[in-house]
Amino acid sequence: MIQQDIRKLVEYGLKTGLVEKEDEIYTVNRLLELFELDEIEDKGADISMEVDELEEVLGRMMDYAVEKGIMKEDGVVYRDLFDTKIMSVLLPRPSEVIREFKKLYEKSPEKATEWYYKFSQDTDYIRRYRIKKDQRWKADTQYGDLDITINLSKPEKDPKAIAAAKNAKQGGYPKCQLCIENEGYAGRINHPARQNHRVIPIEINGSKWGFQYSPYVYYNEHCIVFNSEHIPMKIDHAAFCKLFDFVKLFPHYFVGSNADLPIVGGSILSHDHFQGGHYEFAMARAEVEKPFTVKGFEDVEAGIVKWPMSVIRLACEDSVRVIALADVILEKWRGYTDEAAFVYAYTDGEPHNTITPIARKRNGKYELDLVLRNNITTEEHPLGVYHPHAKLHHIKKENIGLIEVMGLAVLPARLKGEMDKLSDAILAGEDIRKDEVLEKHADWVDEFLPKYAPDKRGTKEEMMAILHKEIGDVFMQVLEDAGVYKRTEEGKEAFWRFIETL
């Protein structure tokens, strides 16, 4: 089969445009070398290859590599390293990819990103066959339709690979998974291979940055924009300028930044980066419920957004004016304390206030959503006062970063099996508290189940629909917990006290 699969993979390259006709023989020979073969057989016979066969073909190729000792170890981590090496044979050099992107960009930014997004999938950098395993649904709430996803596209590491990674030398190259040095990197047991990865260089605010897609694609054209230097995240005037420079380069994309403090920030605070894409989140659809005007900025529309977290939206045809007002709000918020609302700028010299900013262009105006964040902790809430509270941890315990802030829940893979098992247990009338896996969901089930008549939850399908709705409600509560100012009258008054200081 290896002979056939080599030819099938080359056919895949030709079909997707990764391989030009003139490069066909060269590509075959590269693959022969990789699999330690001397010649290709039946090179004249017709062969077909569909795009959705890629996982199967790569799987067989790796089975062969394990059998022949070409792959020294087996397991998902080792296979991810080796199948990336296989795919790298089909890829053009970075300069060729950049040339094609620039050529298409001259026609339109949208054409360029459409091509690059498809390219990033065709190369298997974005693994289509894993992404489609993710569970996704919409949850109808008072704040609009929230997006819920159970992330199944990150494979579970096997115990052998975990042990090997623990014992492996901690390399300093690349410094992190966002560094430009990842492009073309072969990877190692504790760092993913990126030989099938290509980065588009861009310039924002006079500095060199890279533009790429996330391999996990939580939403359409989920991109990452990263500093070419390994420097920490920082929300400041320059960050606002960079966000709008990116929006000017790609007006069909939104772009946002995680906050720059632990707990309320993203998973990688050590490398300055943004996330964006071609998608409209529930927060972007949410309306301004209380407009206001800041003296000296009468030309900038400003208002509080109807959203579970505390969001100020600014809009103006001139991005410079939006940035100028954002600077004022950021500076004021960094130093703002309101003990009555349990908002403290500092405790023991440690800063707590920051902002999660999201930029877009809509209806000819530049918009900037400023989400007020605070990372203070207490004995009652050791993971954060403005963080999902303990009663919700059975569904979501992780930090609320940029993606969740905008209305998309990225939930752990364990929930797929747990919800399947939970629905069966409820239907069978079992005592959930006696199941060590499901016990953590028992209080939640006791709370929501009485809302549904027995004849409306008699089938597996009905029960799963209920669980999906209730998970959506939990995520709404997660966002309310993460909001500095609550949606109560008292919370709204406290939010307005801050606005009046501007």
Side-chain angles (χ1 to χ4, degrees), residues 145-148 281-283 307 402-409 475 479:
D145 287 344
L146 302 181
D147 292 296
I148 313 294
F281 287 89
M283 193 178 84
W307 191 244
L402 171 68
I403 293 171
E404 285 90 0
V405 163
M406 295 185 293
L408 190 156
F475 180 54
L479 293 180

Side-chain angles (χ1 to χ4, degrees), residues 76-85 88 124-127 130 153-155 157 161 165 168-198 212-216 224 268:
V76 68
V77 173
Y78 298 99
R79 283 177 171 253
D80 279 3
L81 290 170
F82 195 77
D83 69 4
T84 304
K85 187 176 186 177
S88 73
D124 210 34
Y125 165 71
I126 297 172
R127 297 171 184 260
R130 284 189 186 161
S153 55
K154 285 186 180 179
K157 292 181 179 178
K169 179 188 170 190
Q170 295 300 309
Y173 180 90
K175 287 179 181 172
C176 77
Q177 290 187 30
L178 289 177
C179 286
I180 188 68
E181 288 81 11
N182 281 279
E183 187 176 38
Y185 187 63
R188 52 185 189 268
I189 191 67
N190 54 4
H191 194 101
R194 290 290 182 254
Q195 291 135 306
N196 60 349
H197 178 42
R198 300 293 180 264
Q212 65 185 44
Y213 290 105
S214 164
Y216 305 113
I224 298 171
I268 303 178

Side-chain angles (χ1 to χ4, degrees), residues 256-449:
S257 174
N258 267 304
D260 54 0
L261 292 178
I263 298 176
V264 295
S267 57
I268 303 178
L269 292 176
S270 60
H271 194 126
D272 198 11
H273 71 285
F274 307 138
Q275 294 182 79
H278 199 184
Y279 191 71
E280 186 176 62
F281 287 89
M283 193 178 84
R285 293 191 296 270
E287 295 181 354
V288 169
E289 65 178 354
K290 190 166 185 178
F292 62 86
T293 303
V294 177
K295 189 177 179 183
F297 294 93
E298 290 80 7
D299 54 329
V300 181
E301 296 169 28
I304 295 171
V305 178
K306 186 187 176 186
W307 191 244
M309 296 184 72
S310 309
V311 186
I312 296 169
R313 179 169 295 157
L314 308 179
C316 183
E317 290 179 6
D318 183 355
S319 63
V320 172
R321 295 293 290 156
V322 174
I323 292 166
L325 181 50
D327 289 341
V328 171
I329 294 169
L330 175 64
E331 184 181 2
K332 184 67 73 173
W333 179 245
R334 289 275 195 202
Y336 184 75
T337 291
D338 181 350
E339 293 184 14
F342 205 78
V343 174
Y344 293 90
Y346 296 90
T347 56
D348 300 325
E350 181 190 344
H352 297 302
N353 291 348
T354 184
I355 278 175
T356 300
I358 300 104
R360 66 183 77 86
K361 190 173 186 185
R362 182 158 52 182
N363 301 325
K365 292 179 180 176
Y366 291 101
E367 281 187 3
L368 187 64
D369 285 351
L370 301 172
V371 188
L372 307 183
R373 312 298 302 275
N374 179 291
N375 76 345
I376 197 167
T377 59
T378 61
E379 283 187 19
E380 185 187 358
H381 300 294
L383 296 179
V385 172
Y386 306 110
H387 177 88
H389 290 174
K391 68 171 286 195
L392 307 178
H393 288 180
H394 66 106
I395 298 292
K396 177 74 174 175
K397 185 179 182 179
E398 298 78 14
N399 291 355
I400 301 307
L402 171 68
I403 293 171
E404 285 90 0
V405 163
M406 295 185 293
L408 190 156
V410 181
L411 302 178
R414 64 174 171 82
L415 286 177
K416 179 181 183 290
E418 287 178 14
M419 291 305 110
D420 191 53
K421 195 176 176 185
L422 185 60
S423 65
D424 289 342
I426 294 170
L427 290 169
E430 295 172 8
D431 185 351
I432 293 162
R433 294 184 192 280
K434 289 183 177 174
D435 187 305
E436 62 179 25
V437 174
L438 300 182
E439 188 272 335
K440 60 180 171 285
H441 300 299
D443 289 347
W444 176 53
V445 173
D446 288 347
E447 200 177 296
F448 75 70
L449 205 57

Side-chain angles (χ1 to χ4, degrees), residues 135-149 279 281-283 285 307-308 406-409 411 452 464-477 479:
Q135 290 190 344
R136 303 170 192 269
W137 69 91
K138 299 274 188 185
D140 181 23
T141 73
Q142 68 192 73
Y143 304 106
D145 287 344
L146 302 181
D147 292 296
I148 313 294
T149 176
Y279 191 71
F281 287 89
M283 193 178 84
R285 293 191 296 270
W307 191 244
M406 295 185 293
L408 190 156
L411 302 178
Y452 301 93
M464 288 305 293
I466 288 169
L467 289 173
H468 279 184
K469 184 194 180 307
E470 293 298 327
I471 286 173
D473 286 348
V474 168
F475 180 54
M476 180 184 77
Q477 292 170 54
L479 293 180

